[in-house]
Amino acid sequence: MTLPRPQDRRGGGTTALLDVAAADLRLPHTESGMTVGLFGGSFDPPHAGHLLVAETALRRLQLDRLWWIVTPGNPLKRHERTHSLGERIAASRHIAAEPRIDVTAFEAAHRLRYTADTLALVRQRRPDVHFVWVMGADSLASFHRWQDWRGIVGTMPIAVVDRPGATLSILSSPMAKTFSRFRLSEADGAALPFRKAPAWVFLHGPRSPLSSTALRSGEASGGARS
């Protein structure tokens, strides 16, 4: 799916939700005892690399569902040029057609900006679900810059999925070094959702060289878009 050219959207507020369906602002349905991965990002635009991370987590962790969380914006990134939330939801749903993936934007309804707050909310609202935070290894190098990053690790098990150029992050990132003794082997990945935090695993698997940054650069220069 091709997204339209991004617009300058520095305003924010309720205007940003005008093209978002009410159902997309609610937490997806779960049943007691389910294992659910939380995979968040701006997805501007979503691409095959994101889907590989999601599918790897579903398969290797043996998850029942995965929530593909389209965020209002990443506090660590600039937002002058971005597609609307509704556009990114639609594009994500087109890419993530796997039936066990639920595309959602509930963070916008609760005005959440930080992952730590998102994890606190889902644990409060769904205490009978086994959640795992899922992220690409390219995020691991900067994870220590996230708001309350130690609290995130102590709140929920984490699955880090390999991405091109990021494999060595498991050796150099502050998070990997600080919590090295809580790392599970890949063979124990299916046990991760049931482990008490801190607990994390690094998953190797198929990788895609695509990145949202490169795709946005192509848009800006008039190049091909994904």
Side-chain angles (χ1 to χ4, degrees), residues 137 140 160 166-173 176-177 183 200 202 204:
L140 191 57
V160 182
T167 304
L168 294 181
S169 62
I170 59 173
L171 302 176
S172 60
S173 74
K177 290 180 178 179
R183 180 184 173 189
W200 67 284
F202 191 97
H204 295 85

Side-chain angles (χ1 to χ4, degrees), residues 174-186:
M175 180 279 205
K177 290 180 178 179
T178 302
F179 293 95
S180 60
R181 68 189 182 95
F182 297 103
R183 180 184 173 189
L184 277 65
S185 70
E186 291 190 65

Side-chain angles (χ1 to χ4, degrees), residues 192-211:
L192 183 68
F194 306 99
R195 290 295 184 93
K196 181 179 179 180
W200 67 284
V201 66
F202 191 97
L203 301 175
H204 295 85
R207 298 180 299 175
S208 169
L210 293 174
S211 76

